[in-house]
Amino acid sequence: MRVLIAGSGGLLGTALTGRLRESGHDVRRLVRRTSQASDESGWDPPSGRIDDGAFDGIDAVVNLCGAPLLPGRWSGMRKQQLLDSRVEPTEVLAEAVAEHGIGVLVNASAVGYYGNSGSTVVDENTKAGNGFLAEMCTEWEAATAAATNARVVSIRTGLVLARHGGLLDVLRPLFRFALGGRLGDGSQYMPWIALDDEIGALVHILEHDSLSGPVNLTGPIPVTNAEFTHALGHAVHRPAPWWVPEIAMKIALGQAAEEMALYGQRAVPRKLEASGYEFRHRTVDSALAAAT
């Protein structure tokens, strides 16, 4: 396949580009600057501009665009920036997919779609929850609407565990100095996924026409924050005795702390497993061992 990736410079985009090329696929990249290589095309989502020829021969488009949710508090302006960085590129690409008759659009989303689901297991048939992240993910997924003739997949990704980059770059140093601990009461679920499986699942989705609509990209056995804390401490051979009070997190980061750290989703990858995908890391212990 010839695959066009938007957001190829991030953790997921870099890993996906490498994996697709290793698998024999031809990868082209959309970049927000003047193109400097033969596999690059420039674009500017706010204006809707895309270099001529960017979609020539393209079989599938993967959109991984989106500004980081942290650090910092979510002011009204920041929320709008987070939303625009996701919805605008998606709308532009969905319209281009329709215009050029491209058959597949794989678009980023997140398990934040489910809001705070507590201990209830949620899958792709579960309705959207409440909160800013749920509302943002709902708009994000709806922005693919123009791609009416394509197979559209919205990947609701959990917390990606990688050796370099992502969540563990923040947590690993703390835990290695025995400063790690649970957040709040630790009962909130953390829908994790190993980077190997995130990328493996993306390739699987591109290569398997049976998958469409929302697909959860999470490990098959979600764990609570307390269980994750214990597992990470074990992986780095350090105790994790501390805890961060809920009130302290809310004072420091407000709504961002509540929805990013204190809300939880017990999300399972029901559609992905039903399609025949086999996880390399089925447990959080296996994923953390590979990432630390």
Side-chain angles (χ1 to χ4, degrees):
M1 300 175 69
R2 177 173 288 181
V3 182
L4 181 66
I5 301 179
S8 62
L11 172 65
L12 300 187
T14 300
L16 179 61
T17 297
R19 182 76 63 85
L20 285 171
R21 286 176 172 163
E22 288 172 3
S23 300
H25 299 294
D26 180 12
V27 178
R28 305 300 171 93
R29 299 176 294 148
L30 282 177
V31 296
R32 301 194 196 198
R33 51 173 169 74
T34 302
S35 58
Q36 300 173 347
S38 59
D39 67 342
E40 294 181 348
S41 295
W43 74 318
D44 179 53
S47 68
R49 181 192 64 79
I50 304 177
D51 285 355
D52 292 340
F55 294 92
D56 291 351
I58 296 298
D59 300 299
V61 172
V62 178
N63 175 28
L64 301 173
C65 293
L69 295 170
L70 292 174
R73 299 176 70 92
W74 291 347
S75 64
M77 181 179 296
R78 179 60 178 157
K79 286 182 180 180
Q80 192 62 51
Q81 291 172 339
L82 293 172
L83 181 63
D84 290 345
S85 72
R86 289 160 171 78
V87 172
E88 279 184 350
T90 300
E91 289 176 338
V92 171
L93 289 174
E95 291 171 3
V97 163
E99 179 184 349
H100 294 275
I102 295 167
V104 182
L105 172 60
V106 178
N107 202 75
S109 184
V111 290
Y113 175 91
Y114 301 110
N116 187 16
S117 66
S119 61
T120 302
V121 174
V122 294
D123 63 19
E124 295 86 354
N125 292 318
T126 304
K127 294 181 179 180
N130 298 314
F132 169 67
L133 290 181
E135 293 170 1
M136 183 180 72
C137 289
T138 300
E139 290 194 44
W140 197 0
E141 295 182 16
T144 64
T148 52
N149 295 322
R151 176 170 67 93
V152 178
V153 183
S154 295
I155 52 167
R156 294 175 181 166
T157 296
L159 301 167
V160 179
L161 306 181
R163 184 173 292 276
H164 302 290
L167 175 69
L168 290 183
D169 269 5
V170 177
L171 296 182
R172 194 184 294 108
L174 294 174
F175 276 70
R176 282 179 173 161
F177 283 99
L179 297 175
R182 59 182 170 84
L183 306 178
D185 67 9
S187 65
Q188 67 275 29
Y189 274 83
M190 295 180 66
W192 61 273
I193 184 169
L195 179 61
D196 274 352
D197 282 313
E198 174 80 9
I199 302 307
L202 281 166
V203 176
H204 179 84
I205 288 168
L206 287 168
E207 295 178 345
H208 288 74
D209 292 342
S210 61
L211 283 164
S212 64
V215 176
N216 287 346
L217 265 57
T218 59
I221 307 174
V223 296
T224 65
N225 173 258
E227 291 168 332
F228 180 88
T229 298
H230 175 78
L232 181 51
H234 178 75
V236 298
H237 310 291
R238 294 290 188 277
W242 310 107
W243 68 284
V244 182
E246 181 176 327
I247 186 63
M249 298 180 66
K250 289 182 177 179
I251 290 172
L253 291 172
Q255 186 180 4
E258 187 172 39
E259 295 202 28
M260 292 292 294
L262 300 173
Y263 280 10
Q265 301 85 26
R266 195 176 183 180
V268 295
R270 205 172 302 281
K271 288 175 70 172
L272 188 60
E273 289 199 292
S275 73
Y277 181 77
E278 296 184 4
F279 279 85
R280 299 183 184 189
H281 302 286
R282 293 193 59 84
T283 68
V284 72
D285 294 292
S286 172
L288 288 171
T292 56

